[in-house]
Amino acid sequence: MEETYLLNVEGVKKKILHGGQGELPKLQDGSKITFHFQTLKDDFERTVIDDSREAGIPMEIIVGKMFKLEIWETLLSSMRAGEVAEFWCDAIHTGMYALVSRGMRRIAEGRDPLEGQKHRCGMGNMFDYHSTGYDDLDELQRTPQPLIFIMELFRVEEPSAYKRDTWAMSKEEKLAAVPVLHSEGNRLVLHKEFRQAAAKYQEAVICLRNLQAKEKPWEDGWLKLESLVTPLVLNYCQCQLELGEYYEVLEHTTELLQKHNDNAKAYFKRAKAHAAVWNEREAREDFLRVAHLDPSMAAAVKKELKQLGERMRKKHVEDQKRYQGLFQLPRGP
């Protein structure tokens, strides 16, 4: 299978190194392609630029999700499962490779691929900063050139055959996923599986926040999404209270109250978190706000304040005994 031939695409040559099985995949928007790749320079040494095997996990792309190196979808669509092929691509197809590689390397390093970028297109950012942060990629950016891609195709999955990551969903899919995730979280809470429930609520919040990012703050579309976010965040905080993650509750409830300072439930959960970490003054202030904002919660507030007082008195007695023992001189014979 060493024969070299041209695809029906200008500036691309393909060589099959190992044959695959089955029919050519029928790609559609949302299909997930899993593969390994190696990128080489078209020089005498065939210098290796990137190798996905070094990261230890295969590459995944979602068809139709605007992957910056469009030619890859074309190359992969010509392969069968299990096939290994080498592609030579002219510079007309590889001009964006430096930016794509930069993002993939940052992800492999555990960093944000968009770190430091302004809200502009990739080329605009490149003109702003003049560097990718990697010398070999800067060279590619300055001097566009043909590249060689060696790819091994593992599988192509239809949109309905795998669990879609949030970022890969369309707007309609995200909106449809939110009530399902909310319901799954509630079911897990009933079984006291708080960590798993928190993950469901968090995933739903991420879906909504992604949609909110495309809306103008405080306008109708943004506010409608925010009304869906708030109960999910409160449910998430309740799970974190059950798990003893009090500082996380303080962080999320405070963030929520900066936007909605009349939310009695958020104050109540923050008060309980303050009480759990011995912030007596802050806890009392938040509990009193709850009673003021929602008189129907007055009985619950009274009970919590009584428990807080008992806990603080007990702690005070224990602290006194501890400090008294610390400063007591040892008795002689």
Side-chain angles (χ1 to χ4, degrees), residues 9-64:
V9 181
E10 182 184 357
V12 175
K13 288 188 283 188
K14 175 181 178 181
K15 181 191 294 183
I16 297 177
L17 305 179
H18 183 278
Q21 299 176 343
E23 301 294 325
L24 287 173
K26 295 179 180 179
L27 302 183
Q28 57 178 299
D29 281 1
S31 295
K32 181 165 75 172
I33 310 174
T34 305
F35 61 101
H36 265 309
F37 74 94
Q38 192 177 46
T39 306
L40 304 91
K41 285 186 177 181
D42 185 22
D43 56 13
F44 181 77
E45 296 84 4
R46 288 167 63 94
T47 305
V48 176
I49 301 172
D50 290 308
D51 189 339
S52 63
R53 285 182 174 81
E54 290 184 358
I57 55 173
M59 179 75 179
E60 293 179 349
I61 62 175
I62 307 297
V63 175

Side-chain angles (χ1 to χ4, degrees), residues 215-252:
E215 301 285 345
K216 193 169 182 180
W218 302 106
E219 291 198 351
D220 289 345
W222 188 94
L223 288 169
K224 185 176 180 181
L225 292 167
E226 185 68 14
S227 69
L228 299 174
V229 168
T230 300
L232 287 163
V233 172
L234 291 172
N235 286 1
Y236 174 82
C237 288
Q238 183 60 42
C239 290
Q240 297 305 319
L241 281 174
E242 298 288 350
L243 294 167
E245 300 289 348
Y246 304 118
Y247 288 103
E248 186 161 356
V249 176
L250 291 175
E251 177 185 347
H252 287 287

Side-chain angles (χ1 to χ4, degrees), residues 93-330:
H93 299 297
T94 63
M96 293 293 291
Y97 185 77
L99 287 174
V100 172
S101 177
R102 173 184 183 268
M104 292 189 294
R105 290 183 186 186
R106 283 175 172 262
I107 291 170
E109 294 165 4
R111 299 163 63 191
D112 182 354
L114 301 178
E115 179 185 332
Q117 287 194 15
K118 298 179 181 178
H119 294 288
R120 297 177 58 185
C121 68
M123 291 304 293
N125 278 296
M126 191 57 63
F127 288 131
D128 278 337
Y129 301 106
H130 309 294
S131 174
T132 62
Y134 303 93
D135 292 340
D136 57 340
L137 299 182
D138 287 344
E139 179 192 344
L140 289 180
Q141 190 64 38
R142 287 191 299 269
T143 313
Q145 55 193 271
L147 293 175
I148 296 167
F149 301 112
I150 299 175
M151 295 181 161
E152 180 181 1
L153 178 62
F154 293 131
R155 58 187 173 274
V156 175
E157 298 171 87
E158 299 303 317
S160 59
Y162 66 94
K163 185 179 183 298
R164 306 287 296 281
D165 292 325
T166 299
W167 65 267
M169 292 181 180
S170 66
K171 177 180 178 179
E172 291 72 22
E173 288 170 333
K174 287 174 184 172
L175 286 172
V178 167
V180 175
L181 291 166
H182 198 159
S183 178
E184 288 178 2
N186 292 347
R187 180 184 61 80
L188 289 163
V189 166
L190 289 174
H191 290 87
K192 299 189 182 302
E193 296 177 13
F194 298 112
R195 198 170 302 281
Q196 296 91 325
K200 296 295 183 184
Y201 295 137
Q202 186 177 44
E203 189 175 350
V205 169
I206 290 170
C207 284
L208 293 169
R209 292 295 190 209
N210 287 342
L211 294 173
Q212 260 190 325
K214 299 173 183 177
E215 301 285 345
K216 193 169 182 180
W218 302 106
E219 291 198 351
D220 289 345
W222 188 94
L223 288 169
K224 185 176 180 181
L225 292 167
E226 185 68 14
S227 69
L228 299 174
V229 168
T230 300
L232 287 163
V233 172
L234 291 172
N235 286 1
Y236 174 82
C237 288
Q238 183 60 42
C239 290
Q240 297 305 319
L241 281 174
E242 298 288 350
L243 294 167
E245 300 289 348
Y246 304 118
Y247 288 103
E248 186 161 356
V249 176
L250 291 175
E251 177 185 347
H252 287 287
T253 50
T254 299
E255 182 182 351
L256 187 64
L257 287 165
Q258 286 171 351
K259 290 182 285 188
H260 310 286
N261 62 3
D262 58 348
N263 192 303
K265 290 182 179 179
Y267 279 117
F268 189 78
K269 295 183 193 306
R270 190 171 75 171
K272 287 178 71 69
H274 275 309
V277 295
W278 307 106
N279 297 337
E280 182 181 11
R281 178 178 60 81
E282 293 87 346
R284 289 188 181 279
E285 287 177 356
D286 278 354
F287 279 132
L288 291 174
R289 280 198 192 96
V290 173
H292 174 73
L293 289 168
D294 188 351
S296 69
M297 297 181 72
V301 167
K302 185 177 179 180
K303 180 181 176 182
E304 292 289 342
L305 286 171
K306 182 180 178 182
Q307 289 177 350
L308 176 62
E310 290 171 354
R311 288 181 71 240
M312 296 308 300
R313 280 192 292 274
K314 184 177 179 182
K315 182 177 184 294
H316 182 64
V317 170
E318 289 174 351
D319 287 346
Q320 275 189 324
K321 289 179 180 178
R322 188 180 302 114
Y323 296 137
Q324 188 177 17
L326 244 159
F327 295 107
Q328 190 172 13
L329 293 174

